[in-house]
Amino acid sequence: MSRLATWVVCGLVLASAAGARAEDPIYTNWRGLALSGYDPVSYFVAGKPVAGDSAHTLKWMDATWRFSSAENLALFRANSGAYAPQYGGYCAWAVANGYTASADPEAWRIVEGRLYLNYSAEVQEEWEVDIPGFIARADQSWPRLRDP
């Protein structure tokens, strides 16, 4: 394999690992809202979760996503995978332990440019004990969980 082909393959692997895939299941609340209606872009641009507005919505990956502004909606539309939470918005600690669980949009952390959610503040405290280890375990578990 040429050096260029190797870089292209590596780039594709990294790109697919970095963001959500079109076939990933997305955790939604009973109203079909991803992130319980919070704006996924706000975690990155405001540094905190901000409630989305029903005036700025997008249907993506069988879920309804809300945004706090037209600008955030445009950013998401341009690069959805960069802003979507890892593991479809399911609890990262649960995925690391081989199952899925809902997540609290207020129990979050951005690690290496990726948004991770946890079931609760208490679970997040456990997850923070070994974030790299839990991410590695979750990355191994997620393919099996998303494609049962």
Side-chain angles (χ1 to χ4, degrees):
M1 180 181 286
S2 75
R3 186 174 296 206
L4 175 61
T6 302
W7 281 106
V8 169
V9 169
C10 289
L12 291 173
V13 169
L14 287 174
S16 66
R21 300 175 341 152
E23 60 273 15
D24 282 353
I26 300 294
Y27 173 75
T28 60
N29 67 8
W30 63 275
R31 295 170 60 198
L33 296 174
L35 290 173
S36 297
Y38 281 81
D39 177 346
V41 178
S42 70
Y43 293 91
F44 296 90
V45 299
K48 63 182 180 178
V50 175
D53 185 327
S54 61
H56 306 291
T57 63
L58 174 69
K59 188 79 167 174
W60 184 69
M61 294 177 61
D62 293 327
T64 300
W65 300 77
R66 287 189 177 171
F67 303 88
S68 58
S69 68
E71 293 81 13
N72 283 6
L73 170 58
L75 287 169
F76 189 85
R77 210 177 244 148
N79 194 1
S80 305
Y83 296 106
Q86 295 301 294
Y87 319 123
Y90 288 93
C91 173
W93 184 87
V95 172
N97 286 289
Y99 62 94
T100 59
S102 62
D104 178 352
E106 303 256 352
W108 64 280
R109 169 85 67 100
I110 293 176
V111 179
E112 295 184 14
R114 297 181 190 150
L115 175 60
Y116 295 89
L117 302 171
N118 289 116
Y119 177 78
S120 66
E122 293 80 17
V123 169
Q124 186 175 26
E125 287 178 17
E126 286 190 42
W127 185 72
E128 289 175 341
V129 169
D130 182 16
I131 291 174
F134 283 119
I135 290 173
R137 287 174 39 199
D139 287 349
Q140 292 293 315
S141 294
W142 183 237
R144 178 180 51 77
L145 295 172
R146 77 165 176 241
D147 300 323

